[in-house]
């Protein structure tokens, strides 16, 4: 039996896709997620599960090395494609499936190229019950930013994990110390964000956050979630309904990430389907009953509240002192408070989806807070991460990040960069 050919045919029929979104590529990611669901192609959360790597967004030279690590961690047969715009997604996925098709020669390789691809050879569940522990889904340790190449000169163990050094803990004891980067290509993680943790035992002792990678050309990137605010700030008339629709969709996108990290994939998918319905203009009457059921189910989940209670606490006053506004500041509490604030904001925006009044950026917050191109709200959220993560257990770190869900697009995309430069 030709096992290589069989594996290629199986992978080509329904490839498992690892989606690597880069800053400025949110519109591409959303198009890819929608199309993958329509085709019923499985999403891979780690390189080991993937047949096809789809890079979503503009070209960012700073992320080429972690992308190569991601690629090396994928088993054969495999293919890699790049969609720089949302319009390229369908062609890129088709090209990737073609590369995984039956072999055209004795070596099992199909030759040829396509403008959107790169040739490379070689029921409901409750949170926490699908094997996600809130931090273990790192997308393949060596590939997601991985542990390899970021050990600060320490000797590495198999798999790229740096060997532990030693350091004094808060009680003056000497404990093993481990340097662990999270990002830039974790599943359900802000695009391109890298957070570097120093651990003693399972407790985070120190946190450093890398500057977001920038595209070669600012014009190639787009701050998708704040587009109505950018347009209104430039003098274009934008209806309030369009802005609150985009804001509610952004909150559903964030909720989907948090639910996925918490181990509730069925509700994560519901959040993303509702997000897509809003983005594609579904009328209020069509989405309102489903949104109401979703917000009641998630907001009333005792298991989810138990998993997230007491993690990443920041008072409203401390948040505002740190320059944070929007839902994170209004919530004034822990991870539970922040996701419930998203739900409350969605319910508040639901009756206004078709409001024709002109958008006033000074009155209506963007999804992550009051909009300012000089001080994008996600910059303050990212700056808050070290304070919230230090002292937490590793298992809670990803939940904290998901409950803030900063948007690196705001820091690197066209419009924002142009206004900030003056």
């Amino acid at each position: 039996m030709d096992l290589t050919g069989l594996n290629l045919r199986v992978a080509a029929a329904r490839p498992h896709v690892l989606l690597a979104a880069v800053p400025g590529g949110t519109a591409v990611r959303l198009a890819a997620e929608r199309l993958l669901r329509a085709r019923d192609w499985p999403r891979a959360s780690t390189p080991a599960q993937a047949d096809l790597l789809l890079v979503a967004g503009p070209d960012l030279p700073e992320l080429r090395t972690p992308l190569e690590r991601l690629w090396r961690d994928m088993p054969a047969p495999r293919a890699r494609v790049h969609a720089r715009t949302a319009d390229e997604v369908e062609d890129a996925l088709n090209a990737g499936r073609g590369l995984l098709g039956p072999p055209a020669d004795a070596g099992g390789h199909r030759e040829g190229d396509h403008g959107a691809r790169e040739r490379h050879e070689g029921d409901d569940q409750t949170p926490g019950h699908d094997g996600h522990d809130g931090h273990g889904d790192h997308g393949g340790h060596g590939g997601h930013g991985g542990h390899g190449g970021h050990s600060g000169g320490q000797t590495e163990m198999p798999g790229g994990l740096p060997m532990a050094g030693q350091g004094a803990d808060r009680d003056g004891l000497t404990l093993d110390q481990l340097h662990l980067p999270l990002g830039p290509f974790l599943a359900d993680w802000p695009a391109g964000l890298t957070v570097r943790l120093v651990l003693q035992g399972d407790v985070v002792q120190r946190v450093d956050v890398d500057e977001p990678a920038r595209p070669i050309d600012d014009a190639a990137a787009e701050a998708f979630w704040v587009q109505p605010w950018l347009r209104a700030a430039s003098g274009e008339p934008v209806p309030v309904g369009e802005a609150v629709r985009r804001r509610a969709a952004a909150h559903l996108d964030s909720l989907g990430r948090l639910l996925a990290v918490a181990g509730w994939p069925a509700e994560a998918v519901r959040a993303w389907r509702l997000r897509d319905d809003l983005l594609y203009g579904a009328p209020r009457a069509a989405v309102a009953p489903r949104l109401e059921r979703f917000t009641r189910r998630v907001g009333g989940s005792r298991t989810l509240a138990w998993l997230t209670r007491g993690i990443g606490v920041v008072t409203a006053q401390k948040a505002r002192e740190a320059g944070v506004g929007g839902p994170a500041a209004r919530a004034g509490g822990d991870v539970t408070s922040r996701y419930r604030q998203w739900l409350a904001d969605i319910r508040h925006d639901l009756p206004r989806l078709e409001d024709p009044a002109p958008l006033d950026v000074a009155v209506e917050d963007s999804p992550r807070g009051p909009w300012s191109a000089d001080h994008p709200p996600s910059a303050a959220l990212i700056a808050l991460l070290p304070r919230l993560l230090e002292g937490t257990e590793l298992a809670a770190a990803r939940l904290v990040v998901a409950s803030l869900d900063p948007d690196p697009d705001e820091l690197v995309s066209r419009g924002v960069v142009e206004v900030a430069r003056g």
Side-chain angles (χ1 to χ4, degrees), residues 78 106 110 125 128 152 170 223 241 257 322 338 360 363:
R78 59 183 181 171
R110 292 173 60 91
Q125 299 177 24
R170 298 178 177 187
R257 293 173 188 255
R338 288 192 285 275
D360 183 346
V363 174

Side-chain angles (χ1 to χ4, degrees), residues 35 253 267 290 317:
L35 187 55
D253 186 58
E267 289 305 314
R290 293 163 53 222
Q317 180 179 345

